[in-house]
Amino acid sequence: MNKDIFNSDRDFTVFDYFISHGQLLIRSKKGDNQKCNIDIIFFDTTFLQLFTMLYGLTIRVVNKDDFIKYDSVNKYLSYDNSNLFEIISGNEKYYIAASFVKVFENELEFNETSLGMIHKGREKEIAGSR
C-alpha cells in the first residue's frame, strides 16, 4: 500500500548529507515569497536515486516489493525498520531507501544545516513517516 507523506509545489535541492548517521537533507530555501525553509530529512539513508533539483515534489512510502531489483538495496529493504520512499517531481519518479523521513520548517540561514546531533532547525515538524 502506498502512503503519501508530504507534497509541495516549492523548488527543492539536495542540500547536505551527514555520512556517519546516513542523514540526507533536501531543502526548499526561504526567499522573497517564503519566510521559512522546508527541510526534508531522511534518516539511515542507504540508497538514493534522485535528481539534485526538484520542482515541486510528493513523498510517499511505497511497497518494498515493487522496487527495481538491486541485491544490496533489497537486502536493506528486507529489514523491519527500512522503507522505500518514492519522490515524484513533475513526471519523474525517484527512490530513496531509508528508515524514516521527517519534514521541518525553520529559519536557518543558507550556510546552516539541520543535520547532525544538535537538532537545530528541527523544532517545528510538519510531516513524517513515523
Side-chain angles (χ1 to χ4, degrees), residues 117-128:
M117 301 304 294
I118 297 175
H119 298 200
K120 184 176 182 182
R122 297 190 208 171
E123 296 82 13
K124 185 177 180 186
E125 184 176 338
I126 58 173

Side-chain angles (χ1 to χ4, degrees), residues 56-81:
L57 61 75
T58 298
I59 302 170
R60 63 176 53 149
V61 178
V62 296
N63 186 336
K64 297 176 190 183
D65 299 329
D66 293 340
F67 188 63
I68 301 166
K69 302 301 180 194
Y70 293 109
D71 290 340
S72 56
V73 177
N74 286 330
K75 181 177 179 182
Y76 172 79
L77 292 173
S78 71
Y79 300 123
D80 287 338
N81 292 327

Side-chain angles (χ1 to χ4, degrees), residues 16-74:
D16 199 2
Y17 187 73
F18 190 57
I19 295 168
S20 65
H21 288 74
Q23 295 176 0
L24 172 68
L25 172 59
I26 300 173
R27 176 177 281 174
S28 177
K29 64 184 174 85
K30 61 185 177 180
D32 295 336
N33 297 326
Q34 295 89 14
K35 70 174 193 154
C36 293
N37 299 314
I38 297 177
D39 282 4
I40 302 169
I41 303 175
F42 290 88
F43 295 85
D44 188 30
T45 306
T46 59
F47 171 81
L48 59 116
Q49 180 261 323
L50 188 65
F51 202 69
T52 58
M53 297 291 298
L54 303 166
Y55 304 100
L57 61 75
T58 298
I59 302 170
R60 63 176 53 149
V61 178
V62 296
N63 186 336
K64 297 176 190 183
D65 299 329
D66 293 340
F67 188 63
I68 301 166
K69 302 301 180 194
Y70 293 109
D71 290 340
S72 56
V73 177
N74 286 330

Side-chain angles (χ1 to χ4, degrees), residues 61-112:
V61 178
V62 296
N63 186 336
K64 297 176 190 183
D65 299 329
D66 293 340
F67 188 63
I68 301 166
K69 302 301 180 194
Y70 293 109
D71 290 340
S72 56
V73 177
N74 286 330
K75 181 177 179 182
Y76 172 79
L77 292 173
S78 71
Y79 300 123
D80 287 338
N81 292 327
S82 66
N83 288 291
L84 183 62
F85 297 95
E86 184 175 72
I87 312 300
I88 302 167
S89 182
N91 294 325
E92 303 287 338
K93 292 181 180 181
Y94 307 100
Y95 296 92
I96 297 174
S99 290
F100 61 98
V101 63
K102 291 191 175 203
V103 183
F104 303 92
E105 283 185 343
N106 62 55
E107 295 183 23
L108 295 176
E109 295 304 321
F110 181 79
N111 63 341
E112 294 181 291

